[in-house]
């Protein structure tokens, strides 16, 4: 297999996948499915998963080892995922009980969002929360990578915060809203907060004639130099 076949992999990554016995196409398919380590791909394969079907396990936040144990006990992926989410550990399930659990249809959009977030290194539980809430993978990625709760992310985004700015607040969205309520108009909160002002300072500056557009300039400067604060 030529090096060109491993396009998109670093030399170190390509060596790891080769040593694990994967061809370039197989490695690429697993990585597209959100599995970035060859050892994990090998375990998923042992559990009977393929790059196309592994999402059923991933959505439940299972590790490959969890999947292997459920598979060895004869439990189907969709049933194991349901049981895992309910807090059950791998155990034998009566044959009739297995038949009573129909396989759900996976929403293609949510599955793709989950895969994208997993490829970006987002933990499975965080990725699942965003995917299940209907986020587009591209929109969710900057928020999920910073471990912002998806519900908070919706509120922060509605207030005009970028993901990095929301993460820097170090507080849930509801606390930020409560702190800023009545200090400045809601549509200005992100500019004043990201520029480094506390609610009382922002209210005083605004009362003294400093506009939100000037705060927006300070916000842009603080994005270039995160250590910069208000004058």
């Amino acid at each position: 297999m030529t090096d060109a076949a491993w396009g998109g992999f670093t030399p170190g990554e390509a060596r790891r996948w080769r040593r694990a016995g994967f061809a370039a196409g197989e490695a690429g398919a697993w990585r597209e499915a959100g599995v970035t380590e060859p050892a994990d791909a090998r375990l998923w394969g042992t559990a009977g998963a393929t790059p196309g079907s592994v999402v059923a396990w991933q959505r439940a936040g299972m590790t490959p080892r969890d999947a292997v144990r459920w598979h060895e006990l004869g439990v189907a992926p969709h049933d194991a995922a349901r049981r895992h989410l309910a807090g059950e550990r791998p155990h034998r399930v009566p044959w009739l009980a297995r038949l009573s659990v129909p396989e759900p249809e996976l929403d293609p959009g949510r599955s793709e969002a989950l895969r994208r977030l997993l490829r970006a290194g987002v933990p499975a539980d965080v990725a699942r929360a965003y995917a299940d809430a209907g986020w587009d993978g591209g929109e969710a990625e900057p928020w999920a990578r910073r471990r912002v709760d998806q519900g908070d992310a919706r509120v922060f985004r509605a207030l005009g915060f970028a993901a990095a700015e929301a993460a820097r607040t170090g507080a849930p969205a509801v606390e930020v809203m409560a702190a800023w309520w009545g200090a400045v108009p809601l549509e200005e909160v992100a500019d004043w907060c990201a520029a480094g002002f506390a609610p009382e300072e922002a209210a005083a500056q605004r009362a003294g004639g400093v506009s939100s557009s000037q705060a927006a300039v300070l916000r842009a400067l603080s994005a270039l130099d995160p250590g910069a604060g208000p004058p």
Side-chain angles (χ1 to χ4, degrees), residues 2 18-19 24 32 59 84 129 143 159 190 197 201 205 222:
T2 65
R18 283 192 186 111
R19 286 173 187 155
E32 278 298 302
R59 285 196 66 193
H84 182 86
W143 299 91
L159 289 173
F197 290 92
E201 295 172 322
Q205 291 284 338
S222 68

Side-chain angles (χ1 to χ4, degrees), residues 180-203:
W180 283 88
W181 194 266
V184 298
L186 283 180
E187 64 271 17
E188 297 181 13
V189 168
D191 284 336
W192 289 103
C193 184
F197 290 92
E200 298 79 8
E201 295 172 322

Side-chain angles (χ1 to χ4, degrees), residues 44-57:
W44 284 122
T46 301
T50 67
S53 67
V54 71
V55 68
W57 308 96

Side-chain angles (χ1 to χ4, degrees), residues 15 40 59 61 67 69 83 100 124 127 136 164 181 196 199 203 224:
R15 280 195 299 272
D40 287 345
R59 285 196 66 193
R69 292 177 65 194
R83 294 176 184 279
S100 66
D136 171 79
W181 194 266
L224 295 174

Side-chain angles (χ1 to χ4, degrees), residues 8 14 38 101 105 119 142:
V101 183
E105 292 186 11
R119 288 197 300 270

Side-chain angles (χ1 to χ4, degrees), residues 90-185:
H91 61 90
R92 294 195 179 279
V93 178
W95 182 71
L96 287 176
R98 294 184 221 164
L99 293 180
S100 66
V101 183
E103 184 170 358
E105 292 186 11
L106 296 178
D107 180 271
R110 293 187 181 185
S111 296
E112 178 52 36
L114 179 66
R115 290 190 179 102
R116 174 163 181 161
L117 294 174
L118 291 171
R119 288 197 300 270
V122 175
D125 58 336
V126 178
R128 186 181 67 250
Y130 275 88
D132 287 350
W135 281 72
D136 171 79
E139 293 178 342
E141 186 174 334
W143 299 91
R145 289 183 70 164
R146 291 172 173 83
R147 312 296 190 265
V148 179
D149 174 81
Q150 71 83 20
D152 282 346
R154 289 192 185 279
V155 176
F156 277 123
R157 193 167 63 160
L159 289 173
F161 283 82
E165 294 167 344
R168 281 200 295 270
T169 67
V174 67
E175 289 185 13
V176 174
M177 283 191 68
W180 283 88
W181 194 266
V184 298

